[in-house]
Amino acid sequence: MKQPSVGKSRLRGAVDERDHAALVLALAWDTLAAATAAGVRRVLVVAADPAAVAGLRRPGVEIVGEAGPGDLNSALRQGEALLRERDPAAVVGAVQADLPALRPAELAAAFAEAAGRRAFTADAEGTGTTLLLSAAGGPLDPRFGPGSAAAHAASGAVALELAAPSLRRDVDTPADLAQAGELGVGERTRAVLRAREVA
């Protein structure tokens, strides 16, 4: 995660500027809550500024400082290495931190469909990636960035076919946030949006 005050630049304007960082943190909180509820054993947040995201700590969630050059793929490789220190044979996953409508059952269904294979879920537009899973004990090999769905498919990852609208609806723009709201966002995101309505 980037520092919340500078992250999600395309989402600016969805709430008052003074609430932007709170919204970014709320998106992440609701994503993490769904992941832990889906049975993920250990969640690691790799953060550019760990102190700025300290509020995301909860049972099963650790926060570590980013040690690499500051891009998403290097941060994910760092997280993967830390997770593998404890369980070299585990399935390691990377999930975007902006899935506020994520339903634990849909995430669990993605794990089930992957069935131990390296696999990914494309975003609602079909071009990005919201979830990438390694094979058990295999490399994650993240290729996030523009056109990541095609990049992951070209690298041999299996494209998961389940509908999973809440898993595919990441939030980059105010329009995305409105669509996530139609699906039903989590409690923290809902609270930030409710505060906007009251104001």
Side-chain angles (χ1 to χ4, degrees):
M1 283 191 67
K2 294 180 181 178
Q3 216 278 356
S5 63
V6 300
K8 289 291 167 193
S9 59
R10 291 196 292 151
L11 193 54
R12 291 196 181 279
V15 294
D16 189 278
E17 180 61 26
R18 64 187 175 184
D19 295 323
H20 180 79
L23 177 60
V24 172
L25 287 171
L27 300 178
W29 173 274
D30 289 331
T31 303
L32 296 176
T36 55
V40 175
R41 286 185 289 133
R42 183 183 178 205
V43 176
L44 195 63
V45 177
V46 182
D49 183 352
V53 300
L56 296 178
R57 282 194 179 91
R58 55 184 286 139
V61 176
E62 290 180 58
I63 300 172
V64 298
E66 186 176 1
D71 69 88
L72 178 57
N73 290 315
S74 66
L76 292 174
R77 287 190 290 270
Q78 176 190 344
E80 177 187 12
L82 291 170
L83 292 169
R84 293 245 181 256
E85 287 176 2
R86 293 192 189 174
D87 191 347
V91 170
V92 173
V95 65
Q96 299 284 38
D98 60 355
L99 302 172
L102 182 59
R103 300 289 181 264
E106 291 188 1
L107 184 56
F111 298 155
E113 185 181 336
R117 301 171 295 172
R118 181 165 172 268
F120 72 97
T121 303
D123 62 13
E125 288 72 33
T127 57
T129 303
T130 59
L131 172 71
L132 174 66
L133 299 170
S134 77
L140 185 63
D141 191 15
R143 303 187 181 204
F144 286 87
S148 65
H152 286 131
S155 73
V158 175
L160 299 180
E161 296 181 357
L162 75 170
S166 77
L167 176 57
R168 296 183 186 276
R169 182 64 280 157
D170 56 342
V171 172
D172 291 317
T173 67
D176 295 340
L177 183 59
Q179 291 176 12
E182 292 172 3
L183 293 171
V185 295
E187 62 174 339
R188 293 292 178 95
T189 304
R190 192 164 56 247
V192 172
L193 297 180
R194 188 180 301 122
R196 174 191 64 177
E197 292 168 1
V198 170

